[in-house]
Amino acid sequence: ENISDFSLNVTDCTQVVVPEEVFFTVAAAGILENLLVLIAVIRNKNLHLPMYFFICSLAISDMLGSLYKTLENIFIILCKMGYLTRRGDFEKKLDDAMDSMFILSLLGSIFSLLAIAADRYITIFYALRYHNIMTLRRALVILAIIWTFCAGSSIAIALFSYEAATVIPFTILFPLMMFFILCLYVHMFLLARSHAKKIASLPTSTVHQRTNMKGAITLTIFLGVFLCCWAPFVLHILLARFCPHNPYCACYMSIFHVNGTLIMCNAIIDPMIFAFRSPELRSTFKKMFCCAR
Amino acid sequence: MSALRLISNRTSQQALSNSDYTWEYEYYEYGPVSFEGLKAHKYSIVIGFWVGLAVFVIFMFFVLTLLTKTGAPHQENAEPSEKRFRMNSFVADFGRPLESERVFSRQIAEESRSLFHFCINEVEHLDKAKQSQKGPGLESNTHFQEVPRSSSGMFEEDLNCLTKFNIPNFVNTEQNSSLGEDDLLISEPPIILESKSVMQSSHRILD
């Protein structure tokens, strides 16, 4: 009935639909995987270290992102089935809460990645003083500050999301953080490479370029995955703010659900490239599953 | 997000979208979008965005691999000794979380001592083994600057000397071989540069 009111062309961009089964499977997989990482770090005393706490922080923000998408889908289903009223005050507040959860997840991801990169940077460049600089207590304080800031910003952004002023800093923060993290890693990488060259000059050295090539691959994977999973959604927010009537923008916004699924895929991939690369964590997993059998 | 769902629902032809049509904020009153007279393909932003993203990631990868091949000569002389010491392990371990906390893992000390494969370690530990036999613990890492230019294949016999050797608090341990883990990106086994005594003392200090 309402559709006839829209002067839609035959070549309209229809909403690209992700099947709900796929959606819930991806979300559940992301939540479970990150929960496993958290449990493993909590249970193994050897993993009570700043580096793993930052990885846990990343796991929590990934879980929040997947949780948000799951809850949103559940609420849409409940709306379709008529259990929730459409204009209710409660639903609006719920909607606000869920939006802020999503922004919290995004900001938490960005800052966790930044913390992980900074931790590795200090590990490389301040190696001898690392354990004085990055004590457990300081790591926890840093995490508390990060999450308080993210929670405050997410609530503020969700409340004032209709203002253009909130969208712009949000979208500027994203590439800025990416660039900063890239710089940290490139600096570490340069140092590693120059040292590898020195090692390669030794007479008995068998180091070859493949080691550093793999460093390049790893770094590209780190940042490429984050970029490919979050940038589509950030672009969506920008386009929704600034050109909602433009047909090109509208066609981009029609793949909104695909962008949401990408964010949940990020929650699945992140533990693989951060947490599961640690042998200690993997052995903890094996012990957990072997004991469960 | 709710406002965005409204926008996406407006361009949809699904009947289902009408159910949450009015769930959103009323001030997002966008008019219908007309798709007439498009000059370019309607998905041009989508295609352009993804192509641009792929190009950027590939470009970043090539820049990083180029850094591998070309040099940055100004860095070669400016490194302090501690960075050089650290880079021994970092070179082989760039992609992994740096396992500095292994200093505290007592149970892996025994395993790590048997994981000596990397040739650089071979060269350097000859030097360290010789120096540890003279007795001094390591208060500073100045003697790491002397990388022995000659190598021999005798480093396995000197492995036991590592236990007496005090090295700075930051070490990197890789015991993936001993734990049977073999799924790193890196093919060469990493360097183990730690001693049990250092780990235990550091652990006691920091606990």
Side-chain angles (χ1 to χ4, degrees):
Chain A
E1 333 79 49
N2 287 333
I3 296 170
S4 58
D5 294 339
F6 299 100
S7 57
L8 298 171
N9 235 358
V10 193
T11 57
D12 178 28
C13 290
T14 57
Q15 179 84 358
V16 174
V17 176
V18 175
E20 280 170 9
E21 295 81 20
V22 172
F23 216 74
F24 281 120
T25 312
V26 173
I31 292 175
L32 278 175
E33 206 177 346
N34 288 294
L35 206 59
L36 275 175
V37 169
L38 280 176
I39 292 174
V41 170
I42 289 172
R43 280 177 62 161
N44 188 350
K45 290 277 184 280
N46 289 334
L47 298 177
H48 288 187
L49 295 157
M51 188 187 83
Y52 289 106
F53 285 170
F54 293 137
I55 290 179
C56 276
S57 161
L58 186 66
I60 290 175
S61 49
D62 285 338
M63 244 183 1
L64 280 176
S66 295
L67 211 61
Y68 159 77
K69 277 287 164 190
T70 315
L71 287 176
E72 186 188 57
N73 249 34
I74 290 177
F75 282 127
I76 290 181
I77 291 173
L78 286 178
C79 257
K80 278 187 223 162
M81 301 201 313
Y83 289 119
L84 289 179
T85 62
R86 293 168 194 166
R87 289 175 183 264
D89 214 26
F90 170 70
E91 281 75 17
K92 280 203 181 140
K93 287 197 179 130
L94 212 57
D95 197 49
D96 268 342
M98 282 181 1
D99 286 347
S100 62
M101 189 199 290
F102 178 72
I103 300 173
L104 181 68
S105 158
L106 173 57
L107 288 176
S109 279
I110 293 177
F111 281 106
S112 298
L113 285 176
L114 186 64
I116 291 174
D119 180 63
R120 290 179 185 182
Y121 190 86
I122 295 175
T123 303
I124 303 277
F125 288 94
Y126 299 94
L128 298 180
R129 290 172 283 153
Y130 172 78
H131 297 300
N132 295 329
I133 295 175
M134 187 65 76
T135 59
L136 256 182
R137 207 167 147 260
R138 265 190 209 158
L140 290 172
V141 165
I142 288 171
L143 282 177
I145 292 175
I146 284 177
W147 281 98
T148 314
F149 174 73
C150 292
S153 323
S154 72
I155 292 174
I157 291 176
L159 286 177
F160 299 110
S161 59
Y162 53 87
E163 304 267 355
T166 55
V167 172
I168 292 176
F170 183 67
T171 46
I172 286 177
L173 183 77
F174 181 77
L176 215 69
M177 285 293 171
M178 290 285 310
F179 183 68
F180 188 54
I181 291 172
L182 186 66
C183 286
L184 284 179
Y185 276 117
V186 163
H187 195 193
M188 290 191 258
F189 190 74
L190 281 175
L191 196 59
R193 187 204 28 78
S194 70
H195 192 62
K197 288 167 78 70
K198 270 193 244 165
I199 289 173
S201 68
L202 293 176
T204 58
S205 166
T206 57
V207 178
H208 47 78
Q209 297 293 332
R210 227 171 66 168
T211 307
N212 290 330
M213 170 73 83
K214 297 205 164 146
I217 292 174
T218 310
L219 183 54
T220 310
I221 289 175
F222 281 167
L223 295 172
V225 161
F226 186 76
L227 208 58
C228 290
C229 290
W230 286 100
F233 184 82
V234 175
L235 184 64
H236 183 117
I237 293 180
L238 265 180
L239 294 183
R241 168 57 51 209
F242 291 115
C243 65
H245 302 295
N246 191 322
Y248 299 111
C249 299
C251 271
Y252 181 84
M253 295 191 291
S254 69
I255 59 169
F256 176 66
H257 288 308
V258 177
N259 296 340
T261 314
L262 274 175
I263 291 176
M264 293 195 304
C265 289
N266 181 59
I268 296 180
I269 297 175
D270 266 348
M272 291 182 198
I273 61 180
F274 283 99
F276 292 169
R277 310 220 23 210
S278 155
E280 185 78 23
L281 206 86
R282 284 200 299 263
S283 65
T284 312
F285 275 120
K286 284 181 186 163
K287 278 183 216 157
M288 273 166 53
F289 287 122
C290 289
C291 291
R293 278 178 205 159
Chain B
M1 304 188 35
S2 60
L4 308 168
R5 233 178 299 129
L6 174 68
I7 297 155
S8 61
N9 283 332
R10 286 212 178 242
T11 60
S12 165
Q13 289 179 350
Q14 295 173 9
L16 295 171
S17 66
N18 293 330
S19 63
D20 48 4
Y21 175 86
T22 54
W23 188 25
E24 324 305 339
Y25 302 122
E26 283 87 15
Y27 41 79
Y28 284 114
E29 287 299 327
Y30 295 111
V33 183
S34 159
F35 283 88
E36 291 167 9
L38 292 184
K39 293 178 198 130
H41 188 260
K42 57 180 178 168
Y43 281 111
S44 53
I45 291 188
V46 180
I47 297 169
F49 170 74
W50 280 104
V51 167
L53 200 61
V55 164
F56 175 73
V57 171
I58 293 172
F59 167 73
M60 194 168 67
F61 175 68
F62 278 124
V63 163
L64 291 174
T65 46
L66 229 93
L67 290 177
T68 303
K69 303 211 180 341
T70 62
H74 62 276
Q75 277 199 342
E76 306 244 345
N77 300 323
E79 283 180 21
S81 56
E82 61 181 71
K83 288 187 194 174
R84 195 176 308 139
F85 173 69
R86 185 65 197 90
M87 282 306 107
N88 272 339
S89 47
F90 184 70
V91 165
D93 189 39
F94 179 71
R96 307 183 57 219
L98 295 166
E99 306 282 350
S100 59
E101 73 283 0
R102 296 310 171 84
V103 166
F104 306 127
S105 307
R106 292 194 194 117
Q107 70 270 20
I108 61 176
E110 292 81 5
E111 297 154 351
S112 65
R113 258 178 283 131
S114 61
L115 291 179
F116 246 91
H117 314 288
F118 202 63
C119 59
I120 304 309
N121 248 357
E122 173 183 346
V123 168
E124 288 198 352
H125 275 86
L126 277 179
D127 189 32
K128 287 179 211 168
K130 286 177 208 150
Q131 294 185 352
S132 69
Q133 282 162 7
K134 294 171 197 167
L138 177 61
E139 289 83 23
S140 74
N141 57 348
T142 51
H143 49 271
F144 284 104
Q145 295 174 6
E146 310 163 32
V147 178
R149 295 295 166 188
S150 65
S151 70
S152 71
M154 301 186 308
F155 73 93
E156 279 92 3
E157 292 100 33
D158 295 327
L159 274 179
N160 293 332
C161 300
L162 281 177
T163 57
K164 306 173 211 141
F165 193 67
N166 289 325
I167 52 179
N169 60 354
F170 182 74
V171 294
N172 181 44
T173 71
E174 306 302 335
Q175 56 279 2
N176 44 320
S177 315
S178 69
L179 297 175
E181 320 286 354
D182 196 20
D183 51 349
L184 304 175
L185 282 189
I186 315 155
S187 60
E188 292 92 3
I191 310 166
I192 291 95
L193 298 168
E194 69 169 13
S195 72
K196 185 179 176 188
S197 57
V198 169
M199 290 184 345
Q200 285 173 343
S201 59
S202 308
H203 199 164
R204 272 185 227 116
I205 290 168
L206 286 161
D207 272 352

